[in-house]
Amino acid sequence: MVKLRLKRCGRKQRATAVYRIVAIDVRSRREGKDLRKVGFYDPIKNQTYLNVPAILYFLERGAQPTGTVKNLLKKAEVFKELPSN
């Protein structure tokens, strides 16, 4: 099963961490090998970059976003672009 989740980037032991939004296998750890990078999130500057076509590709194939990623996608209105069945 594939999940859309945050992967921590930046310097070690730093409070100002930035995150990549990645499609990753459920069994992988947080810094594990990802299938594809689909976005970027900086909580300090409140910046978000999303590769919407890639995110929609994974969501259509059953990928489940984590809670935080789901909130980011709702804020960016990505779910409105998802074709409903």
Side-chain angles (χ1 to χ4, degrees), residues 4-83:
L4 297 175
R5 69 167 119 155
L6 297 175
K7 183 176 183 179
R8 190 171 179 184
C9 303
R11 290 176 34 187
K12 291 182 187 177
Q13 305 295 323
R14 182 100 190 238
T16 58
V18 293
Y19 298 90
R20 285 181 198 227
I21 301 169
V22 296
I24 195 166
D25 186 40
V26 174
R27 297 165 290 194
S28 297
R29 54 178 209 222
R30 185 182 65 187
E31 281 85 20
K33 179 87 170 139
D34 52 62
L35 300 173
R36 185 164 179 193
K37 296 172 182 76
V38 295
F40 176 83
Y41 173 58
D42 186 353
I44 303 297
K45 295 179 183 174
N46 203 16
Q47 291 178 333
T48 307
Y49 165 76
L50 300 173
N51 184 351
V52 177
I55 291 171
L56 292 175
Y57 172 83
F58 282 106
L59 289 175
E60 288 170 353
R61 281 150 183 78
Q64 297 294 315
T66 60
T68 307
V69 174
K70 192 173 200 175
N71 290 337
L72 291 171
L73 296 179
K74 280 183 187 175
K75 205 179 285 185
E77 300 179 350
V78 172
F79 290 116
K80 290 183 179 178
E81 299 178 30
L82 191 64

